[in-house]
């Protein structure tokens, strides 16, 4: 009898359990395989921490948020073990063999795809499913988790209107999204924000202030500014570009220092949204407040769309395993689910482009994207 493993890695999100359930039920009921879960991502694989995923364990999971397996951001090749950081990839290969696995399903985002690809290169049968609230996985149209997070962020933008209106304030609301702006843009359009700032379109604070003053002159003395956590002013974008360029150069031995500088720069921008709100208050004379949505966007039960997507991806994943299709991400392309080789997607991000219909429509309805006054 064949046996397959499942792990969840990277940030959790709604829909992970629905996907585990779908892979597991198809494996058990259609193919008669046994299924084993590894706890806490790649760390559980290294430590051989297993959970049997029989039909009892797979029952009642569809609507449950988070992941029953637990997760971590541990990487096979840089694993903290006993006070050291070690490459534990071979140890994971051993555990895979000890468990007589026919395949290992890795549920995660871009980072997980990179880690999974390391195991592909060691000859393991790996298949990856796209999960993220950021919607940034390259090679797939959609990923489960995004729709739920988008609903939560949209409701927040929506609800902030009445309080901003009552107090004649600017409310700056920060969404997650890592290095991309899909959540802020989606919630900004869906929730009716007046300004949306995303990393892909560096902003000029004077332009944003002028857009807000223009609204005030029209009698709208409140505004909602949706800011992606990775949003950058033009100056910051330039600095970041230089630092990333230096960190990518490995030849002169300065890469470690450059990477350290980049990490410091990134941690130095953690209060970016607060500073932005202060600056906007100063430039417009309008009182400003900040709301950081944070982890609430990752919590709770998955939306119907994410439940359906995770279930479709999970069942297709088991079918691809049956067809011996490995080393791939199961991607959505329109209505279809397609296997995309991991080697073609690792290290790439799906950014919001200038020509994207969501950007165009935001501009059409007069949302300021920080680069020009609408
Ligand atoms: O990738 C999902 C995400 O929630 C990002 O939006 C955010 O930048 C990051 O994870 C937060 O990571 P952590 O859970 O490690 O704090």
């Amino acid at each position: 009898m064949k046996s397959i493993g499942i792990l969840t890695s990277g940030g959790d999100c709604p829909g992970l359990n629905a996907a585990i359930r779908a892979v597991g039920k198809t494996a058990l009921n259609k193919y008669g395989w046994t299924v084993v879960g590894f706890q806490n991502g790649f760390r559980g694989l290294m430590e051989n921490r297993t959970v049997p995923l029989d039909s009892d364990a797979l029952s009642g999971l569809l609507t449950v948020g988070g992941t029953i397996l637990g997760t971590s951001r541990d990487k096979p090749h840089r694993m903290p073990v006993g006070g050291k950081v070690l490459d534990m990839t071979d140890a994971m290969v051993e555990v895979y063999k000890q468990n007589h696995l026919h395949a290992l399903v890795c549920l995660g985002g871009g980072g997980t795809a990179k880690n999974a690809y390391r195991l592909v290169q060691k000859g393991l049968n790996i298949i990856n499913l796209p999960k993220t609230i950021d919607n940034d996985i390259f090679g797939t149209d959609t990923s489960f988790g995004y729709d739920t997070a988008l609903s939560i962020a949209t409701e927040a933008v929506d609800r902030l209107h009445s309080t901003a209106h009552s107090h004649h304030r600017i409310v700056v609301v920060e969404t997650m999204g890592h290095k991309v702006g899909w959540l802020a843009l989606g919630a900004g359009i869906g929730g009716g924000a007046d300004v949306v700032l995303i990393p892909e379109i560096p902003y000029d604070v004077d332009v944003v202030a002028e857009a807000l003053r223009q609204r005030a002159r029209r009698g709208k003395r409140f505004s909602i500014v949706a800011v992606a956590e990775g949003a950058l002013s033009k100056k910051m974008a330039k600095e970041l570009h230089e630092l990333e360029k230096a960190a990518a150069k490995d030849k002169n031995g300065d890469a470690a220092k450059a990477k350290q500088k980049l990490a410091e720069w990134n941690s130095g921008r953690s209060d970016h949204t607060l500073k932005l709100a202060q600056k906007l208050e100063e430039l417009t004379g309008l009182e400003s407040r900040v709301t950081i949505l944070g982890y609430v966007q990752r919590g709770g039960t998955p939306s119907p769309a994410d439940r359906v997507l995770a279930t479709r991806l999970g069942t297709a994943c088991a079918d691809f395993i049956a067809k011996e299709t490995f080393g791939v991400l199961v991607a959505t392309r329109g209505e279809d689910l397609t296997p995309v080789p991991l080697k073609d997607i690792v290290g790439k991000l799906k950014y919001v482009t200038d020509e994207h219909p969501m950007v165009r429509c935001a501009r059409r309805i007069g949302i300021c994207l920080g680069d020009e006054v609408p």
Side-chain angles (χ1 to χ4, degrees):
M1 195 197 283
K2 277 184 186 162
S3 188
I4 65 165
I6 307 184
L7 61 80
T8 55
S9 170
D12 75 320
C13 77
L16 279 167
N17 288 325
I20 294 169
R21 168 181 176 267
V23 176
K25 284 195 176 221
T26 314
L28 257 55
N29 303 338
K30 178 162 167 59
Y31 296 109
W33 304 333
T34 56
V35 187
V36 63
F38 290 94
Q39 291 177 324
N40 305 327
F42 291 97
R43 178 163 292 274
L45 179 62
M46 176 191 78
E47 293 173 351
N48 199 11
R49 285 183 189 273
T50 58
V51 192
L53 293 177
D54 53 19
S55 45
D56 278 352
L58 293 170
S59 175
L61 294 185
L62 178 64
T63 59
V64 180
T67 161
I68 54 157
L69 294 176
T71 186
S72 73
R73 292 198 183 274
D74 287 318
K75 303 174 178 68
H77 67 302
R78 288 181 52 79
M79 184 75 71
V81 185
K84 291 187 185 146
V85 177
L86 303 174
D87 184 346
M88 298 304 285
T89 316
D90 288 336
M92 292 180 197
V93 173
E94 269 318 299
V95 171
Y96 178 100
K97 288 182 182 158
Q98 270 171 34
N99 283 281
H100 304 289
L101 295 183
H102 178 61
L104 175 67
V105 181
C106 299
L107 275 58
T112 301
K114 264 193 206 170
N115 294 327
Y117 187 55
R118 287 178 198 282
L119 298 177
V120 173
Q121 288 172 309
K122 292 279 180 182
L124 304 191
N125 294 338
I126 303 289
I127 187 158
N128 194 203
L129 293 188
K131 75 83 220 183
T132 171
I133 65 160
D134 302 335
N135 193 31
D136 61 351
I137 302 176
F138 191 85
T140 183
D141 289 352
T142 53
S143 305
F144 60 85
Y146 175 66
D147 184 73
T148 311
L150 179 61
S151 309
I152 297 166
T154 301
E155 188 186 346
V157 172
D158 208 357
R159 283 180 177 273
L160 288 167
H161 273 78
S162 59
T163 174
H165 179 263
S166 306
H167 284 266
H168 321 292
R169 282 174 176 157
I170 298 170
V171 175
V172 181
V173 50
E174 183 189 283
T175 69
M176 277 191 168
H178 199 214
K179 294 182 177 173
V180 302
W182 296 106
L183 258 184
L185 186 58
I189 295 172
D194 307 294
V195 177
V196 174
L197 305 178
I198 61 173
E200 294 89 337
I201 306 178
Y203 68 86
D204 179 336
V205 74
D206 292 313
V207 167
V208 178
E210 180 48 25
L212 300 178
R213 282 193 298 258
Q214 183 176 278
R215 269 177 60 77
R217 287 197 292 274
R218 289 196 203 117
K220 305 262 186 183
R221 291 183 51 234
F222 77 97
S223 289
I224 306 290
V225 180
V227 186
E229 64 179 346
L232 302 160
S233 67
K234 289 190 173 166
K235 181 171 166 272
M236 290 163 83
K238 224 167 139 190
E239 286 169 8
L240 180 62
H241 180 69
E242 291 306 319
L243 286 165
E244 283 179 338
K245 229 169 57 187
K249 276 191 209 151
D250 210 359
K251 293 167 198 128
N252 52 14
D254 286 343
K257 252 194 261 161
K259 277 187 184 154
Q260 176 65 24
K261 266 196 187 168
L262 180 59
E264 281 165 15
W265 188 89
N266 274 319
S267 64
R269 68 178 300 288
S270 57
D271 59 353
H272 162 258
T273 303
L274 291 171
K275 284 191 180 138
L276 173 67
Q278 280 162 7
K279 189 75 189 162
L280 290 175
E281 179 165 305
E282 193 184 303
L283 291 173
T284 62
L286 294 161
E287 198 178 31
S288 301
R289 291 286 190 271
V290 171
T291 298
I292 295 182
L293 298 182
Y295 295 91
V296 73
Q297 294 161 104
R298 278 186 4 201
T301 188
S303 67
D306 275 339
R307 293 178 198 182
V308 173
L309 180 59
T311 304
R312 287 186 62 212
L313 285 165
T315 53
C317 171
D319 291 341
F320 282 124
I321 294 172
K323 288 185 214 146
E324 310 269 313
T325 306
F326 298 123
V328 296
L329 167 80
V330 184
T332 70
R333 295 280 167 86
E335 290 298 304
D336 296 331
L337 300 182
T338 315
V340 176
L342 285 171
K343 70 172 168 35
D344 296 342
I345 62 150
V346 290
K348 298 179 185 168
L349 281 184
K350 184 176 72 181
Y351 290 104
V352 176
T353 60
D354 246 358
E355 312 75 46
H356 194 276
M358 276 166 74
V359 171
R360 276 209 308 269
C361 94
R363 292 197 194 278
R364 292 270 192 282
I365 57 166
I367 293 178
C368 170
L369 297 179
D371 55 343
E372 57 189 36
V373 180

